[in-house]
Amino acid sequence: MPTDICFSFTGFACRGGRTDEHRDGWGIAFFEDKGCRVFRDYLASSESPVAQLVQHYPIKSTNVIAHIRKATQGQINLANTHPFQRELWGRYWVFAHNGNLDKLPTLVGKTYQPVGTTDSELAFCLILEKLRAQFDTEPSAEVLFQAVSQHAGELAQLGTFNFMLSNGEWLFVHCTSHLHYLIRRAPFCKAHLLDEDVTVDFAEVTTEQDQVAIIATQPLTDNENWIALMPGQMIGFMNGQVCWQAQTLPETWFEARRQAAKTAA
Amino acid sequence: MPTDICFSFTGFACRGGRTDEHRDGWGIAFFEDKGCRVFRDYLASSESPVAQLVQHYPIKSTNVIAHIRKATQGQINLANTHPFQRELWGRYWVFAHNGNLDKLPTLVGKTYQPVGTTDSELAFCLILEKLRAQFDTEPSAEVLFQAVSQHAGELAQLGTFNFMLSNGEWLFVHCTSHLHYLIRRAPFCKAHLLDEDVTVDFAEVTTEQDQVAIIATQPLTDNENWIALMPGQMIGFMNGQVCWQAQTLPETWFEARRQAAKTAA
């Protein structure tokens, strides 16, 4: 629902330069059926005129991905601004990444090539290239989820790989360090933003059937029950529900982390 | 320059529902180096809040493509809204079409597939697929221009094929019925819009070196020397200059048109 999007984005946009340091550009993608609108700016979201428009423009959308950037690899410019978009099997795919990946493998296929210079866009191209090599036509969402979770697990071993990926039908999210989600459904109540003193009473703007999943690096509200994802946890959402789950990281990854913690101590 | 873009778009946006009938959605793509911003809406440009933002937001861009839609094939929705965007050889390509094509060939390759149901997006995918099959890596702009003009000539025989195509570096335009262009350069003077009573004195907002090419189906101003393109004429622009020219239609096309005119008379 537009109210959910505008509300969440109001708090989220503050983190791009005001309540948080992710000020190196921002972007948001709205799916409407198979169509997709992407707004992007290399300005901080707290200062961008495009962000102000998005905050007040009641766009109806089934899946939305927003991103605020803190540059790790690649300059601050439009080509390096998330979310990234490509077409696969006649649908748009949209990807946003929080984290940093080192020593990414070279692209073997030639179908998808990064336009910018971020690790994130390269990782996105790597995943799409692998999926295209695996499947001639679009498989079921469940099969896709399994395939993506395998590729996510491989890439996640190269650094921090919190990401969101959607083709408009489903939303796959992956966590290696920080990611939280919330299912907002009946009975609805008032929600209060963490980053700005704004409250919305969702009981007034929803119907009994409405259900929305909100996923964010850090919780956006201070009075709802956000659930933290574990490292290596991947979840597939559809129609505001948790549909698929996977653990993408091998036991060796956790063992190595325990060893590193011990050494540090 | 932002002034050129805002000025042209102010007149152009009127044609989406106010001074003309192209009210089935609109879109605009701005290239900034290799990055690209695309704003799209299925509302008429004369009524869209996003269009109002674009009209007043001073975006600097080397190549801009805007489109207002009058639906011929495909429903009015976001997926069918121009301009369309894909990635080829690590660059974004953007395409907008005015006209209607019948009996388009089936796509043989599988790299680019239409997301929506327009003839325009299919024609765009056909061109990209052919270029990818012809060249492993990006050839020179001149070689590309020749290749695109060949494919344009083939598709143009299936209907009306006025289009604009850009990868951010160059802008290729093709005419089969209506297309006009204008080179705005020193000495600059006042320009007055056709669709709205707005005048800009470009002498006040430019430097001696500025040079801009503006291409539109119909002239946007009533006091500048717009040049009409001929059927089958394709022009490649770069940095506000005409760089390449081609005639894409065979003599048989013109002969058939003369015969049809005779029969009608």
Side-chain angles (χ1 to χ4, degrees):
Chain A
M1 297 299 290
T3 315
D4 272 280
I5 302 168
C6 294
F7 178 70
S8 290
F9 189 71
T10 297
F12 185 69
C14 294
R15 299 183 183 177
R18 199 150 79 217
T19 58
D20 204 343
E21 57 182 357
H22 293 69
R23 53 176 308 113
D24 304 330
W26 70 278
I28 189 165
F30 297 88
F31 278 101
E32 297 173 31
D33 290 318
K34 295 175 83 183
C36 187
R37 284 175 215 258
V38 186
F39 298 90
R40 252 186 233 105
D41 209 340
Y42 54 78
L43 294 174
S45 57
S46 61
E47 288 159 20
S48 159
V50 189
Q52 275 171 34
L53 172 97
V54 170
Q55 231 164 289
H56 299 289
Y57 189 47
I59 296 174
K60 278 208 174 195
S61 173
T62 42
N63 282 287
V64 181
I65 292 185
H67 184 268
I68 46 177
R69 182 170 181 231
K70 185 177 167 220
T72 53
Q73 295 178 42
Q75 288 184 300
I76 301 170
N77 62 33
L78 199 60
N80 287 340
T81 305
H82 308 224
F84 301 103
Q85 186 192 338
R86 292 291 188 280
E87 174 253 310
L88 172 58
W89 301 313
R91 291 197 78 119
Y92 296 121
W93 288 53
V94 164
F95 176 83
H97 170 216
N98 162 279
N100 191 43
L101 297 171
D102 279 317
K103 299 180 190 148
L104 279 166
T106 330
L107 271 165
V108 281
K110 286 205 153 182
T111 306
Y112 299 100
Q113 288 178 46
V115 172
T117 51
T118 62
D119 52 322
S120 310
E121 191 186 9
L122 177 54
F124 179 37
C125 290
L126 282 162
I127 291 174
L128 293 180
E129 199 74 58
K130 285 190 182 193
L131 292 175
R132 186 178 274 277
Q134 273 177 286
F135 308 103
D136 266 347
T137 53
E138 188 176 352
S140 71
E142 189 177 347
V143 170
L144 261 180
F145 180 82
Q146 293 306 332
V148 173
S149 65
Q150 192 198 324
H151 307 320
E154 284 164 19
L155 293 169
Q157 297 180 52
L158 305 173
T160 310
F161 200 38
N162 306 309
F163 73 76
M164 301 197 189
L165 175 70
S166 178
N167 77 343
E169 203 186 331
W170 40 254
L171 174 70
F172 297 166
V173 307
H174 182 262
C175 172
T176 60
S177 58
H178 304 290
L179 208 60
H180 297 76
Y181 78 93
L182 169 74
I183 308 282
R184 205 174 272 150
R185 67 182 143 211
F188 292 97
C189 56
K190 285 184 187 174
H192 180 259
L193 288 181
L194 251 164
D195 296 77
E196 193 144 41
D197 190 14
V198 175
T199 301
V200 165
D201 186 350
F202 281 99
E204 290 174 4
V205 291
T206 46
T207 66
E208 194 68 18
Q209 289 72 42
D210 290 335
Q211 178 152 339
V212 174
I214 304 116
I215 304 97
T217 310
Q218 298 298 340
L220 289 165
T221 57
D222 55 16
N223 65 339
E224 295 178 290
N225 291 319
W226 291 81
I227 300 162
L229 273 76
M230 298 290 109
Q233 192 177 358
M234 187 163 139
I235 302 183
F237 293 90
M238 205 156 72
N239 301 322
Q241 288 182 315
V242 172
C243 291
W244 310 281
Q245 294 225 45
Q247 172 52 250
T248 69
L249 288 166
E251 183 48 36
T252 48
W253 185 90
F254 292 94
E255 182 54 36
R257 214 165 70 139
R258 279 192 292 269
Q259 286 299 332
K262 251 189 220 166
T263 314
Chain B
M1 298 296 291
T3 315
D4 272 281
I5 301 169
C6 293
F7 177 69
S8 290
F9 189 71
T10 297
F12 185 68
C14 293
R15 299 185 183 175
R18 201 153 77 214
T19 58
D20 203 344
E21 58 182 355
H22 292 69
R23 53 175 309 113
D24 303 329
W26 70 278
I28 189 166
F30 297 87
F31 278 101
E32 298 173 30
D33 290 318
K34 295 175 82 183
C36 187
R37 284 175 215 257
V38 186
F39 298 91
R40 251 186 235 106
D41 208 340
Y42 54 78
L43 294 175
S45 57
S46 60
E47 289 160 18
S48 157
V50 188
Q52 275 172 32
L53 172 98
V54 170
Q55 230 163 287
H56 299 289
Y57 190 45
I59 297 173
K60 279 207 175 199
S61 173
T62 42
N63 283 287
V64 181
I65 290 184
H67 183 269
I68 45 177
R69 181 170 183 231
K70 184 177 168 220
T72 53
Q73 295 178 39
Q75 289 185 300
I76 300 171
N77 62 33
L78 199 61
N80 287 340
T81 305
H82 307 224
F84 301 102
Q85 186 192 336
R86 292 291 188 279
E87 175 254 310
L88 171 59
W89 302 312
R91 290 197 79 119
Y92 295 121
W93 288 52
V94 164
F95 176 83
H97 169 217
N98 162 278
N100 191 43
L101 297 172
D102 279 317
K103 299 182 190 146
L104 279 165
T106 329
L107 270 165
V108 281
K110 287 208 152 178
T111 307
Y112 299 101
Q113 288 177 46
V115 173
T117 51
T118 62
D119 52 324
S120 310
E121 190 185 10
L122 177 54
F124 179 38
C125 290
L126 282 163
I127 291 173
L128 293 180
E129 199 75 59
K130 285 189 183 195
L131 292 174
R132 185 177 275 276
Q134 273 176 287
F135 308 104
D136 266 348
T137 54
E138 188 175 352
S140 72
E142 191 178 344
V143 170
L144 262 180
F145 179 82
Q146 294 306 332
V148 172
S149 64
Q150 193 198 322
H151 307 321
E154 284 164 19
L155 293 169
Q157 297 180 49
L158 306 173
T160 311
F161 200 38
N162 306 308
F163 73 74
M164 302 197 187
L165 175 70
S166 178
N167 77 343
E169 203 186 332
W170 41 254
L171 175 69
F172 297 166
V173 307
H174 182 263
C175 173
T176 60
S177 57
H178 303 290
L179 208 59
H180 296 77
Y181 79 93
L182 169 74
I183 306 284
R184 206 173 273 151
R185 68 181 144 213
F188 291 97
C189 55
K190 285 183 186 174
H192 180 259
L193 287 181
L194 251 164
D195 297 78
E196 192 143 43
D197 189 15
V198 175
T199 301
V200 165
D201 186 351
F202 281 100
E204 289 175 4
V205 291
T206 47
T207 67
E208 195 67 19
Q209 289 72 43
D210 290 335
Q211 178 153 338
V212 174
I214 304 117
I215 304 98
T217 309
Q218 298 297 340
L220 289 166
T221 57
D222 54 17
N223 64 339
E224 295 178 291
N225 291 319
W226 290 80
I227 299 162
L229 273 77
M230 298 290 109
Q233 191 176 358
M234 186 163 138
I235 302 182
F237 294 90
M238 204 153 74
N239 301 321
Q241 288 180 316
V242 172
C243 292
W244 310 281
Q245 295 226 42
Q247 171 52 250
T248 68
L249 289 167
E251 183 46 36
T252 48
W253 186 88
F254 292 94
E255 182 53 35
R257 214 165 68 139
R258 279 190 293 269
Q259 285 299 335
K262 252 190 221 168
T263 313

